[in-house]
Amino acid sequence: MTETETEAGEVAAKQKSLLGNIYDFFSGYLLAVILLTFLLALTYFGTMAQVEMGLYEASDKYFESLFLVEKIAGVSFVLPGVYLVSALLFLNLTLGAIVRARKSWRRPGMLIAHGGILYILVAGFVAFHYTKEGNMLLYEPNGSDEMHQSDEIYSLINWSIEISKYGSDGKRKFIHVIGPDQLSGSWKGGKARSFRHSEIPFALKVSGYEKNIANGKGQLAGLMGAEKAKVKNKENNKKTIRVVEGFGIESMPTNKTMEFNLPATYVDIYPRVGTDKYSSKEITSGLLIGSSPPFAPKPFTFSIGDEQWSVDLTRHRYTLPFAIELENFQKEDHPGTMRAREYSSDVIKIDTGRKVHISMNKPMRDAGYTLYQASWGPEGAGPGDRLYTSLAVSHNPADQWPKYGTYVIAIGMTIHFVQKLFSYLKRTNRTRRREEGS
């Protein structure tokens, strides 16, 4: 063998050793212990943070992120998020417990149990990426409107801008939605975004988007008149607050209960003047403040030629594959008070006529959607007031997967322990026979 071949063999051996060490680390017990320790710590930090940050922000920081910065004893540490930890744990279990582990039909229990754990982790990823959640409001039927029927749910935390065109009869003929993804990110420093659509004869410029202008009491503390805006701009020595329709807006601290936040923004309308060209001068401007059920929307309306258009900032809406109707809403108060002790809803699935009783512990399941009894309103309603029921709606393709994964783990562990028990009994029996024979 030549000297060159010897050196090449040593290099290949080193590369193989390096790859082998990497494989051993990602499939070993050490990484599993590290990841489980991080998972325990992050679960603790995330749970405690909900008190100050609220459910949604704490979940976003700790459970849905790749990395996060956490202060411990006044020192900032960069930690992996639960999402990254779960992904690495999935890799570790796949390599260590499935690929690397010795496989034998005599000991299938642990293989089955680890398969169940992997199944639960997959369920978490599917739920994170594909779950849709929202609320549906249904009023008590009164025979004069259709507010007791609906096939729409609205998000509690995501907002969108709806651009609508109306016919001469006042009915909506066209709608284009600027979704939450297009409104996300930073809007600091007077940042503006323009939106265009081939079927819309104008460009919509959105600027000064504030994620919340309401205080903890639900008051529009971030909405101010022209005079107050003028004073604030003078105090800041620059024009930072724009006044439209006699009002300006400024940001308020976000509420830790995300559904209580109320956004607002300025919009400018630039008409189309050619096939792909738009005027550099706006023809009208408006101020949008988020509208939310059960309150009626207050869109910004205007005309382009003979066409009537509106722009509305509203909670993002989804359409269900079926419609339901509220047949009856029951509420029972605590004796001598106006506080509800329990409440439930009798609903009908309109296309099939199926009747379902929904209560706090008995949801309705249909077509992959789950409808829970969430709340009721209006708050402080008196005798004779028309009530509404609020149903929390969730569409999670992996809704039942954790339950099935738990069954698989239980079956695997049962097989493993039964085999261990029989093995122990056999050894004990063998030892006893040996002692009796001697």
Side-chain angles (χ1 to χ4, degrees):
M1 182 180 293
T2 65
E3 185 176 344
T4 303
E5 290 175 338
T6 303
E7 291 177 354
E10 291 176 355
V11 171
K14 288 181 179 179
Q15 289 178 343
K16 183 177 180 181
S17 176
L18 177 61
L19 293 175
N21 289 334
I22 293 174
Y23 177 80
D24 289 342
F25 174 74
F26 279 101
S27 62
Y29 288 113
L30 176 61
L31 180 60
V33 172
I34 293 173
L35 293 174
L36 291 174
T37 302
F38 271 122
L39 198 58
L40 178 64
L42 291 168
T43 301
Y44 172 79
F45 291 142
T47 303
M48 298 304 294
Q50 291 179 19
V51 178
E52 297 295 330
M53 302 175 63
L55 174 63
Y56 294 103
E57 288 194 5
S59 177
D60 183 64
K61 177 180 178 179
Y62 292 93
F63 300 105
E64 300 175 7
S65 61
L66 294 176
F67 294 97
L68 60 100
V69 177
E70 180 70 11
K71 278 193 174 182
I72 303 175
V75 181
S76 297
F77 292 90
V78 178
L79 302 176
V82 171
Y83 187 95
L84 178 59
V85 171
S86 299
L88 291 174
L89 187 60
F90 181 87
L91 177 64
N92 176 258
L93 284 173
T94 301
L95 295 178
I98 305 297
V99 178
R100 187 178 183 181
R102 289 185 298 175
K103 301 169 187 64
S104 172
W105 288 111
R106 294 182 178 180
R107 296 181 178 179
M110 293 307 295
L111 190 65
I112 295 173
H114 282 96
I117 297 174
L118 290 173
Y119 188 68
I120 292 177
L121 288 173
V122 171
F125 290 122
V126 172
F128 173 74
H129 288 287
Y130 298 103
T131 293
K132 290 182 180 179
E133 294 180 322
N135 271 48
M136 173 186 286
L137 294 186
L138 295 173
Y139 279 83
E140 291 181 313
N142 64 358
S144 62
D145 57 40
E146 296 183 353
M147 295 179 67
H148 62 296
Q149 301 176 349
S150 181
D151 63 350
E152 285 189 340
I153 61 175
Y154 64 90
S155 172
L156 290 176
I157 60 173
N158 294 321
W159 294 80
S160 60
I161 293 177
E162 296 181 355
I163 304 175
S164 303
K165 175 184 175 182
Y166 293 87
S168 57
D169 56 358
K171 294 183 179 180
R172 185 155 56 185
K173 303 296 183 182
F174 169 85
I175 181 172
H176 174 65
V177 178
I178 300 171
D181 292 341
Q182 295 169 284
L183 297 177
S184 62
S186 174
W187 288 84
K188 294 181 179 179
K191 188 174 181 181
R193 302 176 192 176
S194 294
F195 301 95
R196 301 175 177 86
H197 189 275
S198 59
E199 297 185 44
I200 299 178
F202 57 87
L204 177 71
K205 180 182 176 182
V206 179
S207 61
Y209 185 88
E210 301 292 355
K211 295 181 179 179
N212 181 44
I213 63 167
N215 60 19
K217 298 179 180 179
Q219 301 166 330
L220 300 183
L223 180 68
M224 66 192 75
E227 288 301 319
K228 186 176 180 181
K230 184 178 180 181
V231 171
K232 280 186 171 287
N233 287 335
K234 189 174 181 180
E235 291 174 353
N236 296 331
N237 293 323
K238 57 181 179 179
K239 188 177 180 181
T240 57
I241 300 176
R242 181 184 176 187
V243 176
V244 175
E245 298 181 315
F247 292 95
I249 55 173
E250 67 175 350
S251 178
M252 299 296 294
T254 55
N255 196 304
K256 62 181 180 181
T257 305
M258 290 289 285
E259 54 264 39
F260 291 164
N261 292 323
L262 198 66
T265 188
Y266 304 102
V267 293
D268 299 290
I269 308 300
Y270 295 84
R272 183 187 289 153
V273 294
T275 305
D276 295 316
K277 294 182 179 180
Y278 296 85
S279 172
S280 59
K281 177 68 176 177
E282 72 275 10
I283 59 170
T284 185
S285 300
L287 174 62
L288 301 182
I289 299 176
S291 60
S292 174
F295 304 108
K298 296 180 180 179
F300 171 60
T301 59
F302 54 93
S303 299
I304 300 288
D306 296 330
E307 299 176 343
Q308 297 296 317
W309 292 83
S310 73
V311 180
D312 190 20
L313 178 60
T314 182
R315 294 189 186 274
H316 192 62
R317 295 186 289 179
Y318 309 96
T319 301
L320 295 177
F322 56 87
I324 65 172
E325 173 184 325
L326 179 63
E327 185 180 38
N328 187 34
F329 175 70
Q330 303 99 33
K331 180 174 74 77
E332 182 179 340
D333 295 333
H334 288 280
T337 71
M338 295 292 289
R339 286 183 55 200
R341 183 170 68 178
E342 59 179 337
Y343 41 90
S344 59
S345 307
D346 292 319
V347 301
I348 302 174
K349 187 183 178 187
I350 294 177
D351 58 348
T352 63
R354 175 192 171 201
K355 295 186 177 183
V356 183
H357 179 76
I358 303 176
S359 61
M360 284 177 278
N361 297 317
K362 293 181 179 180
M364 171 186 175
R365 300 181 188 275
D366 199 297
Y369 288 83
T370 306
L371 286 74
Y372 305 88
Q373 182 68 61
S375 61
W376 65 279
E379 187 175 344
D385 290 345
R386 190 182 185 187
L387 304 180
Y388 63 80
T389 182
S390 176
L391 303 177
V393 184
S394 173
H395 180 255
N396 177 9
D399 180 37
Q400 299 295 307
W401 292 13
K403 181 175 71 175
Y404 302 147
T406 304
Y407 292 160
V408 172
I409 295 171
I411 292 171
M413 296 302 294
T414 301
I415 292 174
H416 179 73
F417 286 127
V418 168
Q419 286 182 319
K420 288 292 185 182
L421 176 61
F422 279 126
S423 178
Y424 169 76
L425 293 176
K426 284 181 180 180
R427 288 198 307 270
T428 304
N429 191 36
R430 238 185 264 118
T431 302
R432 189 187 309 115
R433 287 180 180 177
R434 196 179 301 117
E435 290 176 350
E436 290 176 352
S438 62

